[in-house]
Amino acid sequence: MTTETSRPPSGQLPLLMLGVGADPAAERGVSCPGELPPAADPDLVHRAERARATLGDRAFVLGHHYQRDEVIRFADVTGDSFKLAREAAARPGAEYVIFCGVHFMAESADILTSPSQLVVLPDLAAGCSMADMASYSQVEECWEAFEDLGLDSCVVPVTYMNSSADIKAFTGRHRGTVCTSSNAKRALTWALDTGSKVLFLPDQHLGRNTAVLELGLRLDDCVVWNPRLPLGGLDKESLDRATMILWRGHCSVHGRFTARNVAEVRERIPGVNVLVHPECVHDVVLGADYVGSTEKIISTIERAPAGSAWAVGTELNLVRRLATRNPDKTVVFLDDTVCFCSTMNRIDLPHLVWAMESLVAGQVVNQITVDPVTASQAKAALDQMLALP
Ligand code: SF4
């Protein structure tokens, strides 16, 4: 099965139960069309090892940091979304790129790899709720409103890596840039040197935290564009005044942490260091000791002195892995309830085995393809990111 990114005609996203039904215009996919091995199959690990060995250098398996351990053990490389896409592009000899991540990541890999490489997402229902919060038609409507108000000439779009290929293409067409959580400060600095306002998509929290805590803007310089309301729920005056126009999107994992979680963990573990991702809400970031991207979180814990204690506000699979790999430190999850990225967790060993065994049998399943026009415009925005001063 091939899923091709195409522009939705118009309107809001309909409700769609995870893994049920089809929505090719969004980050959600259908449930697995093939016969999955049962999760209880005692031979599953051996089947995965056999399929992986048979594919050899023809396949390259990428594992995002938030994936389950059962999947990560088969990854040739682990990383955040941009690192993984670049790793795939650096291996043109790999015919199949098996992306254990979510849909927008596989799209980025398809954009950055050569046409002869095929990108496979083991479960098409592995989407990203944040990316889904900015649909192409909504963003086009927003830009048309800017044009009507004469704002389009001074607004530079900046989209987070966690967005669909359509939104990256929109950004490329309007001479904007993509950013990651590691280079958001540089991206915003460049954008505000290029224009006088930024439209930041789709994560309001990364945009706000970077603008206020790293660029020194005030909270009042930021407004939030709600795509479900006329003119984003704003008026011309507030848009004229604003420097940052933040899209009303958030990560359903990082958005769960609260300032109360921070206060409680400090009470529970005296001397604990609180380390959070910049997708967390502003109050949580303000209350933390450190804030950083996924890669920065990993390196901070690895370099921390033995005996130190850390409460980490990011996805639970990663926090558990950090705790296991750093037994000389105390590493705990910031929230007291379990919180995985449910869509990332769709990729499990049965799906990985199914995808690899299908490739061994000569059948390409769940291929992710971005159409050439969208891919070239999205690549312009990605290239701009690579050229950031
Ligand atoms: S952790 Fe958040 S941003 Fe990342 S894939 Fe899951 S929902 Fe999307």
PDB file of all heavy atoms in Angstrom, residues 299-319:
ATOM      1  N   SER A 299      21.694  13.835  26.475  1.00  0.00           N
ATOM      2  CA  SER A 299      23.105  14.130  26.804  1.00  0.00           C
ATOM      3  C   SER A 299      23.230  14.720  28.206  1.00  0.00           C
ATOM      4  O   SER A 299      24.213  14.459  28.913  1.00  0.00           O
ATOM      5  CB  SER A 299      23.733  15.039  25.742  1.00  0.00           C
ATOM      6  OG  SER A 299      23.076  16.275  25.724  1.00  0.00           O
ATOM      7  N   THR A 300      22.236  15.478  28.652  1.00  0.00           N
ATOM      8  CA  THR A 300      22.301  16.053  30.009  1.00  0.00           C
ATOM      9  C   THR A 300      22.290  14.943  31.056  1.00  0.00           C
ATOM     10  O   THR A 300      23.090  14.960  32.004  1.00  0.00           O
ATOM     11  CB  THR A 300      21.104  17.005  30.247  1.00  0.00           C
ATOM     12  OG1 THR A 300      21.142  18.025  29.259  1.00  0.00           O
ATOM     13  CG2 THR A 300      21.150  17.637  31.624  1.00  0.00           C
ATOM     14  N   ILE A 301      21.413  13.964  30.885  1.00  0.00           N
ATOM     15  CA  ILE A 301      21.343  12.862  31.862  1.00  0.00           C
ATOM     16  C   ILE A 301      22.621  12.027  31.794  1.00  0.00           C
ATOM     17  O   ILE A 301      23.188  11.659  32.835  1.00  0.00           O
ATOM     18  CB  ILE A 301      20.111  11.961  31.587  1.00  0.00           C
ATOM     19  CG1 ILE A 301      18.813  12.753  31.703  1.00  0.00           C
ATOM     20  CG2 ILE A 301      20.107  10.744  32.506  1.00  0.00           C
ATOM     21  CD1 ILE A 301      18.393  13.133  33.086  1.00  0.00           C
ATOM     22  N   GLU A 302      23.096  11.765  30.581  1.00  0.00           N
ATOM     23  CA  GLU A 302      24.304  10.930  30.464  1.00  0.00           C
ATOM     24  C   GLU A 302      25.508  11.578  31.121  1.00  0.00           C
ATOM     25  O   GLU A 302      26.359  10.905  31.696  1.00  0.00           O
ATOM     26  CB  GLU A 302      24.590  10.620  28.987  1.00  0.00           C
ATOM     27  CG  GLU A 302      23.687   9.494  28.480  1.00  0.00           C
ATOM     28  CD  GLU A 302      23.739   9.297  26.978  1.00  0.00           C
ATOM     29  OE1 GLU A 302      24.393  10.097  26.283  1.00  0.00           O
ATOM     30  OE2 GLU A 302      23.091   8.336  26.514  1.00  0.00           O
ATOM     31  N   ARG A 303      25.579  12.916  31.035  1.00  0.00           N
ATOM     32  CA  ARG A 303      26.753  13.617  31.591  1.00  0.00           C
ATOM     33  C   ARG A 303      26.576  13.978  33.067  1.00  0.00           C
ATOM     34  O   ARG A 303      27.501  14.497  33.689  1.00  0.00           O
ATOM     35  CB  ARG A 303      26.997  14.901  30.806  1.00  0.00           C
ATOM     36  CG  ARG A 303      27.533  14.615  29.426  1.00  0.00           C
ATOM     37  CD  ARG A 303      27.969  15.907  28.756  1.00  0.00           C
ATOM     38  NE  ARG A 303      28.037  15.693  27.320  1.00  0.00           N
ATOM     39  CZ  ARG A 303      27.579  16.531  26.403  1.00  0.00           C
ATOM     40  NH1 ARG A 303      27.045  17.668  26.769  1.00  0.00           N
ATOM     41  NH2 ARG A 303      27.677  16.251  25.136  1.00  0.00           N
ATOM     42  N   ALA A 304      25.406  13.764  33.604  1.00  0.00           N
ATOM     43  CA  ALA A 304      25.144  14.180  34.995  1.00  0.00           C
ATOM     44  C   ALA A 304      25.988  13.351  35.971  1.00  0.00           C
ATOM     45  O   ALA A 304      26.295  12.186  35.696  1.00  0.00           O
ATOM     46  CB  ALA A 304      23.660  14.002  35.304  1.00  0.00           C
ATOM     47  N   PRO A 305      26.396  13.957  37.081  1.00  0.00           N
ATOM     48  CA  PRO A 305      27.214  13.205  38.041  1.00  0.00           C
ATOM     49  C   PRO A 305      26.447  12.057  38.697  1.00  0.00           C
ATOM     50  O   PRO A 305      25.225  12.142  38.866  1.00  0.00           O
ATOM     51  CB  PRO A 305      27.599  14.264  39.088  1.00  0.00           C
ATOM     52  CG  PRO A 305      26.664  15.391  38.890  1.00  0.00           C
ATOM     53  CD  PRO A 305      26.155  15.339  37.493  1.00  0.00           C
ATOM     54  N   ALA A 306      27.164  10.994  39.020  1.00  0.00           N
ATOM     55  CA  ALA A 306      26.549   9.861  39.721  1.00  0.00           C
ATOM     56  C   ALA A 306      25.925  10.368  41.017  1.00  0.00           C
ATOM     57  O   ALA A 306      26.456  11.274  41.674  1.00  0.00           O
ATOM     58  CB  ALA A 306      27.610   8.806  40.014  1.00  0.00           C
ATOM     59  N   GLY A 307      24.795   9.816  41.370  1.00  0.00           N
ATOM     60  CA  GLY A 307      24.133  10.208  42.620  1.00  0.00           C
ATOM     61  C   GLY A 307      23.146  11.346  42.441  1.00  0.00           C
ATOM     62  O   GLY A 307      22.369  11.642  43.356  1.00  0.00           O
ATOM     63  N   SER A 308      23.159  12.011  41.260  1.00  0.00           N
ATOM     64  CA  SER A 308      22.228  13.126  41.087  1.00  0.00           C
ATOM     65  C   SER A 308      20.820  12.592  40.765  1.00  0.00           C
ATOM     66  O   SER A 308      20.652  11.453  40.329  1.00  0.00           O
ATOM     67  CB  SER A 308      22.711  14.070  39.976  1.00  0.00           C
ATOM     68  OG  SER A 308      22.923  13.363  38.774  1.00  0.00           O
ATOM     69  N   ALA A 309      19.826  13.438  41.008  1.00  0.00           N
ATOM     70  CA  ALA A 309      18.429  13.012  40.802  1.00  0.00           C
ATOM     71  C   ALA A 309      17.773  13.911  39.761  1.00  0.00           C
ATOM     72  O   ALA A 309      17.955  15.139  39.774  1.00  0.00           O
ATOM     73  CB  ALA A 309      17.659  13.097  42.120  1.00  0.00           C
ATOM     74  N   TRP A 310      16.998  13.288  38.857  1.00  0.00           N
ATOM     75  CA  TRP A 310      16.402  14.004  37.733  1.00  0.00           C
ATOM     76  C   TRP A 310      14.933  13.623  37.566  1.00  0.00           C
ATOM     77  O   TRP A 310      14.604  12.439  37.562  1.00  0.00           O
ATOM     78  CB  TRP A 310      17.158  13.661  36.439  1.00  0.00           C
ATOM     79  CG  TRP A 310      18.580  14.147  36.494  1.00  0.00           C
ATOM     80  CD1 TRP A 310      19.643  13.493  37.060  1.00  0.00           C
ATOM     81  CD2 TRP A 310      19.061  15.408  36.030  1.00  0.00           C
ATOM     82  NE1 TRP A 310      20.765  14.276  36.959  1.00  0.00           N
ATOM     83  CE2 TRP A 310      20.442  15.452  36.332  1.00  0.00           C
ATOM     84  CE3 TRP A 310      18.469  16.498  35.379  1.00  0.00           C
ATOM     85  CZ2 TRP A 310      21.224  16.553  36.011  1.00  0.00           C
ATOM     86  CZ3 TRP A 310      19.257  17.593  35.056  1.00  0.00           C
ATOM     87  CH2 TRP A 310      20.619  17.612  35.370  1.00  0.00           C
ATOM     88  N   ALA A 311      14.092  14.635  37.427  1.00  0.00           N
ATOM     89  CA  ALA A 311      12.690  14.422  37.045  1.00  0.00           C
ATOM     90  C   ALA A 311      12.567  14.951  35.623  1.00  0.00           C
ATOM     91  O   ALA A 311      12.861  16.126  35.360  1.00  0.00           O
ATOM     92  CB  ALA A 311      11.753  15.179  37.973  1.00  0.00           C
ATOM     93  N   VAL A 312      12.184  14.069  34.699  1.00  0.00           N
ATOM     94  CA  VAL A 312      12.252  14.434  33.283  1.00  0.00           C
ATOM     95  C   VAL A 312      10.855  14.558  32.685  1.00  0.00           C
ATOM     96  O   VAL A 312      10.040  13.632  32.790  1.00  0.00           O
ATOM     97  CB  VAL A 312      13.087  13.377  32.500  1.00  0.00           C
ATOM     98  CG1 VAL A 312      13.276  13.834  31.056  1.00  0.00           C
ATOM     99  CG2 VAL A 312      14.435  13.163  33.165  1.00  0.00           C
ATOM    100  N   GLY A 313      10.597  15.683  32.042  1.00  0.00           N
ATOM    101  CA  GLY A 313       9.294  15.928  31.417  1.00  0.00           C
ATOM    102  C   GLY A 313       9.371  15.696  29.923  1.00  0.00           C
ATOM    103  O   GLY A 313       9.494  16.653  29.144  1.00  0.00           O
ATOM    104  N   THR A 314       9.339  14.420  29.540  1.00  0.00           N
ATOM    105  CA  THR A 314       9.225  14.078  28.120  1.00  0.00           C
ATOM    106  C   THR A 314       8.580  12.702  28.020  1.00  0.00           C
ATOM    107  O   THR A 314       8.076  12.177  29.014  1.00  0.00           O
ATOM    108  CB  THR A 314      10.592  14.149  27.396  1.00  0.00           C
ATOM    109  OG1 THR A 314      10.363  14.048  25.980  1.00  0.00           O
ATOM    110  CG2 THR A 314      11.534  13.022  27.814  1.00  0.00           C
ATOM    111  N   GLU A 315       8.595  12.089  26.842  1.00  0.00           N
ATOM    112  CA  GLU A 315       7.851  10.845  26.613  1.00  0.00           C
ATOM    113  C   GLU A 315       8.363   9.711  27.508  1.00  0.00           C
ATOM    114  O   GLU A 315       9.575   9.575  27.741  1.00  0.00           O
ATOM    115  CB  GLU A 315       7.962  10.468  25.124  1.00  0.00           C
ATOM    116  CG  GLU A 315       6.801   9.683  24.609  1.00  0.00           C
ATOM    117  CD  GLU A 315       6.945   8.186  24.789  1.00  0.00           C
ATOM    118  OE1 GLU A 315       8.071   7.732  25.054  1.00  0.00           O
ATOM    119  OE2 GLU A 315       5.937   7.466  24.680  1.00  0.00           O
ATOM    120  N   LEU A 316       7.440   8.884  27.977  1.00  0.00           N
ATOM    121  CA  LEU A 316       7.762   7.897  29.015  1.00  0.00           C
ATOM    122  C   LEU A 316       8.718   6.790  28.563  1.00  0.00           C
ATOM    123  O   LEU A 316       9.577   6.354  29.334  1.00  0.00           O
ATOM    124  CB  LEU A 316       6.458   7.291  29.541  1.00  0.00           C
ATOM    125  CG  LEU A 316       6.559   6.327  30.719  1.00  0.00           C
ATOM    126  CD1 LEU A 316       7.361   6.904  31.867  1.00  0.00           C
ATOM    127  CD2 LEU A 316       5.159   5.946  31.197  1.00  0.00           C
ATOM    128  N   ASN A 317       8.610   6.320  27.320  1.00  0.00           N
ATOM    129  CA  ASN A 317       9.546   5.282  26.858  1.00  0.00           C
ATOM    130  C   ASN A 317      10.984   5.761  26.999  1.00  0.00           C
ATOM    131  O   ASN A 317      11.867   5.013  27.430  1.00  0.00           O
ATOM    132  CB  ASN A 317       9.293   4.938  25.379  1.00  0.00           C
ATOM    133  CG  ASN A 317       8.198   3.908  25.208  1.00  0.00           C
ATOM    134  OD1 ASN A 317       8.171   2.912  25.925  1.00  0.00           O
ATOM    135  ND2 ASN A 317       7.302   4.147  24.268  1.00  0.00           N
ATOM    136  N   LEU A 318      11.210   7.023  26.612  1.00  0.00           N
ATOM    137  CA  LEU A 318      12.571   7.565  26.686  1.00  0.00           C
ATOM    138  C   LEU A 318      13.010   7.704  28.136  1.00  0.00           C
ATOM    139  O   LEU A 318      14.146   7.363  28.485  1.00  0.00           O
ATOM    140  CB  LEU A 318      12.646   8.914  25.953  1.00  0.00           C
ATOM    141  CG  LEU A 318      13.991   9.633  26.070  1.00  0.00           C
ATOM    142  CD1 LEU A 318      15.136   8.793  25.505  1.00  0.00           C
ATOM    143  CD2 LEU A 318      13.953  10.982  25.357  1.00  0.00           C
ATOM    144  N   VAL A 319      12.109   8.204  28.987  1.00  0.00           N
ATOM    145  CA  VAL A 319      12.499   8.401  30.396  1.00  0.00           C
ATOM    146  C   VAL A 319      12.846   7.060  31.042  1.00  0.00           C
ATOM    147  O   VAL A 319      13.847   6.937  31.762  1.00  0.00           O
ATOM    148  CB  VAL A 319      11.378   9.125  31.176  1.00  0.00           C
ATOM    149  CG1 VAL A 319      11.772   9.298  32.643  1.00  0.00           C
ATOM    150  CG2 VAL A 319      11.078  10.491  30.560  1.00  0.00           C
TER     151      VAL A 319
END
